[in-house]
Amino acid sequence: MINKRLLIKNLLAHNDESSFYDKKRQLNLHTKEGKAKFLKHICALSNSNPSNNSYIVVGVEDQDNEITGDDFFDDSRIQNLVNAFLENPPKILYENVPFPNLPRDKVVGLVTIKPKPKTSYFKKGIHTIPMHTTFVRRGSNSIPTDEKIAYTKQNIETVISIENNSRNSIAHTLDSVIDFVNNRHKDMPSQYKVFKELFVICWSGIPKKIRDKTFLSRVDIELVNEQIKLFYSAQDDVTITFDENSFTITEYVPLGLNDKTSYYPLEQQKLSFFDNGYYKIETEMLFEPPQYNRKMMFHIYNSNLSLLNKLQKGIELSEREAADLENVPSTLMICYLNGFEDAKQKLIDAKLLLKQCKTPNAYINFKEVMRVLRKMKYGKTE
């Protein structure tokens, strides 16, 4: 198995960005411009590497390769975004890779683009990229081309060599389990389980009982052999079940108005393990949003916009308004899910205001809400 942490180090050590890998400080898939840039690089790397994997490393400074990390990105449906805009889309995988020097809530993202023989191109336009545009890699640049793309094996030996030098060892596996339990999560209960005498999953979280159900909060789950995080969130409510062949994570989202909160199943992620050393991850969206009285929702929506307007104008908020500000992201999401189509864009536009305000939980809640909305969006065809 490939140790993803070693793979990232080997990619960064090989040379600067090349025709088989790219690096980014962060991904921004909230905007059309951000999506367009991401899709351009996927298209270019796929076309330039029809015989081998190609990679994008996220959370690395461009100038000096410093590993600074990025937020955990758990959207397994990002493949749907690629499928929606690219003809002959490559299969891609986004993995969250922890590094010892990073804060617990930061990881390095690794996008793996699988090889395929057919040329990818944009089947519909996005931002400034017209329909039918084809991209290739020239050195470290993704550029449009009108030329017919020839099948090539130019990078296959180099990439295979890098991947072979990134294989796992028993020492890496043991060191990772010990580090997870004794160092990274010494302040909370941790567990591990071995599947098929080969795969090791570690998880930690703080148990909490809500009504008749026990959840885990501050959950961190890692598939140690692959050196990837399966789940992480600073604010979450999760249940975990497992048997000899599978491990299932069910995430819940707390939603409610007027201090009345209920817990709704959001998503279920199931890992199945097989005797031949293969595993697969299946994800199912479970979310059914709550519906509220339309007249009441109008009042709440306008109150939230008024609060954001005060924040934008620099008007001092009362103690009650400051407390309400924490709930603005989740409340605007409820409004959006109840038919207020502008609510989502209003929330996105307020990102910097919430990040810079004196109520730190407001921005944390913003990131959580955007994570839920991304999951819902990419669960559908774009």
Side-chain angles (χ1 to χ4, degrees):
M1 293 182 184
I2 292 179
N3 183 310
K4 300 303 168 62
R5 192 183 298 166
L6 283 178
L7 176 60
I8 289 170
K9 289 182 176 179
N10 289 334
L11 284 170
L12 296 177
H14 177 70
N15 55 23
D16 203 356
E17 294 164 307
S18 68
S19 55
F20 62 83
Y21 100 95
D22 198 359
K23 59 186 176 184
K24 299 293 173 192
R25 176 63 190 85
Q26 61 182 13
L27 289 184
N28 177 13
L29 299 182
H30 298 326
T31 66
K32 287 185 177 179
E33 180 182 4
K35 290 178 183 177
K37 288 181 178 179
F38 175 70
L39 290 166
K40 175 181 73 173
H41 294 308
I42 294 290
C43 180
L45 287 164
S46 176
N47 288 335
S48 299
N49 296 275
S51 306
N52 53 268
N53 290 334
S54 48
Y55 298 96
I56 300 175
V57 179
V58 183
V60 178
E61 293 293 343
D62 189 49
Q63 298 299 321
D64 55 8
N65 275 356
E66 181 186 359
I67 296 175
T68 53
D70 196 11
D71 290 339
F72 182 91
F73 189 87
D74 63 350
D75 205 322
S76 58
R77 295 174 181 80
I78 199 170
Q79 180 73 56
N80 288 7
L81 174 64
V82 176
N83 294 348
F85 284 93
L86 296 185
E87 190 68 36
N88 302 321
K91 183 178 179 181
I92 66 169
L93 180 65
Y94 191 104
E95 296 168 303
N96 298 277
V97 184
F99 274 74
N101 61 308
L102 295 177
R104 189 168 61 187
D105 61 337
K106 295 292 182 182
V107 293
V108 175
L110 179 65
V111 182
T112 303
I113 304 157
K114 299 294 185 179
K116 58 159 192 57
K118 292 185 178 181
T119 299
S120 296
Y121 61 90
F122 280 76
K123 62 184 177 183
K124 61 181 179 180
I126 179 173
H127 192 51
T128 59
I129 301 176
M131 185 170 59
H132 301 312
T133 304
T134 302
F135 287 90
V136 293
R137 292 287 285 189
R138 292 289 184 265
S140 61
N141 297 315
S142 298
I143 62 171
T145 182
D146 294 325
E147 300 175 7
K148 185 176 180 180
I149 299 175
Y151 186 85
T152 177
K153 295 184 177 181
Q154 63 176 342
N155 293 318
I156 188 168
E157 291 185 4
T158 302
V159 172
I160 288 176
S161 175
I162 289 174
E163 291 174 344
N164 285 339
N165 288 330
S166 306
R167 297 291 172 185
N168 240 331
S169 69
I170 294 176
H172 279 126
T173 301
L174 290 175
D175 288 345
S176 296
V177 172
I178 292 170
D179 179 64
F180 187 98
V181 174
N182 293 342
N183 298 324
R184 286 163 47 202
H185 300 291
K186 59 185 177 182
D187 61 334
M188 66 177 74
S190 298
Q191 299 182 63
Y192 71 89
K193 181 168 175 60
V194 180
F195 294 88
K196 303 297 181 182
E197 299 183 353
L198 182 62
F199 301 96
V200 183
I201 291 183
C202 292
W203 71 96
S204 69
I206 299 175
K208 63 176 181 180
K209 187 144 189 175
I210 300 174
R211 301 186 183 97
D212 59 344
K213 200 173 188 70
T214 300
F215 297 94
L216 294 178
S217 64
R218 292 179 61 197
V219 178
D220 193 358
I221 306 170
E222 186 176 322
L223 180 57
V224 173
N225 306 73
E226 295 285 292
Q227 289 291 333
I228 58 172
K229 279 183 181 288
L230 297 169
F231 187 93
Y232 176 80
S233 180
Q235 295 181 331
D236 45 50
D237 297 284
V238 171
T239 60
I240 290 174
T241 57
F242 55 86
D243 54 29
E244 293 305 307
N245 302 309
S246 64
F247 185 91
T248 303
I249 309 157
T250 305
E251 181 185 0
Y252 292 76
V253 56
L255 287 175
L257 299 172
N258 301 324
D259 299 324
K260 295 180 180 178
T261 300
S262 297
Y263 289 78
Y264 298 85
L266 174 62
E267 183 178 62
Q268 180 174 283
Q269 191 174 37
K270 182 177 181 180
L271 286 88
S272 300
F273 301 96
F274 303 91
D275 292 324
N276 61 357
Y278 172 74
Y279 75 94
K280 67 177 180 179
I281 301 177
E282 297 172 298
T283 304
E284 181 183 0
M285 177 61 69
L286 306 174
F287 190 51
E288 293 292 339
Q291 300 296 308
Y292 294 95
N293 177 274
R294 185 78 176 175
K295 186 176 180 180
M296 178 183 71
M297 292 305 300
F298 265 115
H299 172 72
I300 291 172
Y301 182 53
N302 289 329
S303 297
N304 275 263
L305 295 186
S306 175
L307 198 56
L308 290 176
N309 189 46
K310 283 187 176 182
L311 197 63
Q312 186 172 23
K313 291 181 178 179
I315 299 173
E316 189 74 23
L317 301 182
S318 67
E319 188 174 331
R320 177 62 186 175
E321 288 173 329
D324 289 342
L325 188 62
E326 287 191 16
N327 298 320
V328 163
S330 58
T331 305
L332 283 180
M333 179 172 72
I334 292 174
C335 290
Y336 172 70
L337 297 175
N338 277 261
F340 292 76
E341 295 295 331
D342 292 341
K344 180 179 176 181
Q345 190 58 49
K346 295 288 186 185
L347 179 59
I348 293 172
D349 293 343
K351 176 181 178 179
L352 286 179
L353 290 174
L354 296 173
K355 189 173 185 178
Q356 296 168 358
C357 74
K358 297 178 181 178
T359 308
N361 283 341
Y363 185 62
I364 293 173
N365 291 340
F366 168 84
K367 292 196 292 184
E368 288 295 306
V369 163
M370 294 310 300
R371 184 170 65 88
V372 172
L373 291 174
R374 274 201 312 272
K375 284 189 173 186
M376 293 182 62
K377 182 174 184 178
Y378 294 143
K380 306 172 184 177
T381 301
E382 284 248 334

